[in-house]
Amino acid sequence: MLRYALYEYIKARHFDELQKYSFEISLLELCERLDCKQYENEFKSFHTRVLKPAVLEINQFSEKNIEYELIKQGKKVIGINFNINTKDVIERMKIYAQLESIYNEEQTKLY
């Protein structure tokens, strides 16, 4: 569920499909937007259980490519800088074909 929430948040922020987009967000705000406040003081858990798997899944199964950099104050992570772009048409067609082979046509209409 958190993976989908991150995808929807990224998609809402990156609505101009033709341009790369970067934005910074504080860790507290991201946890609030994803409704996972239990992780706001435990970045290591948030990173391994939410952020890393979500970005891998989004990059594998969606039209977006996401990279991120951690924003630190000393040793503490206080935010994340996301860099987003849209995959080219051929990559997107491969992903759609892969999703159609996994799911039936009705389920893939969401993508």
Side-chain angles (χ1 to χ4, degrees):
M1 187 64 150
L2 292 174
R3 295 174 188 175
Y4 185 72
L6 180 62
Y7 171 73
E8 285 298 315
Y9 180 69
I10 294 289
K11 195 170 178 178
R13 294 290 304 250
H14 184 239
F15 53 85
D16 185 354
E17 301 278 324
L18 301 176
Q19 294 186 13
K20 292 183 180 183
Y21 181 71
S22 295
F23 71 95
E24 290 183 7
I25 187 168
S26 73
L27 184 58
L28 295 175
E29 184 180 350
L30 183 60
C31 287
E32 185 178 300
R33 290 190 180 273
L34 299 180
D35 196 26
C36 60
K37 291 182 180 182
Q38 69 269 25
Y39 293 114
E40 60 188 32
N41 294 317
E42 298 178 26
F43 178 74
K44 189 174 182 180
S45 294
F46 175 77
H47 190 248
T48 53
R49 293 183 179 166
V50 178
L51 185 62
K52 206 172 181 180
V55 169
L56 287 171
E57 190 171 305
I58 290 167
N59 286 343
Q60 183 177 6
F61 294 113
S62 82
E63 74 283 3
K64 306 287 185 201
N65 269 330
I66 302 172
E67 295 176 352
Y68 63 92
E69 299 168 7
L70 305 178
I71 302 168
K72 294 184 176 184
Q73 189 173 50
K75 291 184 177 184
K76 185 178 180 180
V77 175
I78 59 167
I80 299 170
N81 181 36
F82 285 98
N83 300 301
I84 309 158
N85 63 22
T86 302
K87 295 175 183 168
D88 65 31
V89 175
I90 295 173
E91 285 181 89
R92 286 186 275 169
M93 290 175 68
K94 287 178 185 177
I95 290 168
Y96 296 147
Q98 180 184 7
L99 289 172
E100 285 178 352
S101 70
I102 295 171
Y103 303 104
N104 65 36
E105 189 176 320
E106 278 300 310
Q107 291 172 316
T108 58
K109 285 184 181 177
L110 295 174
Y111 298 97

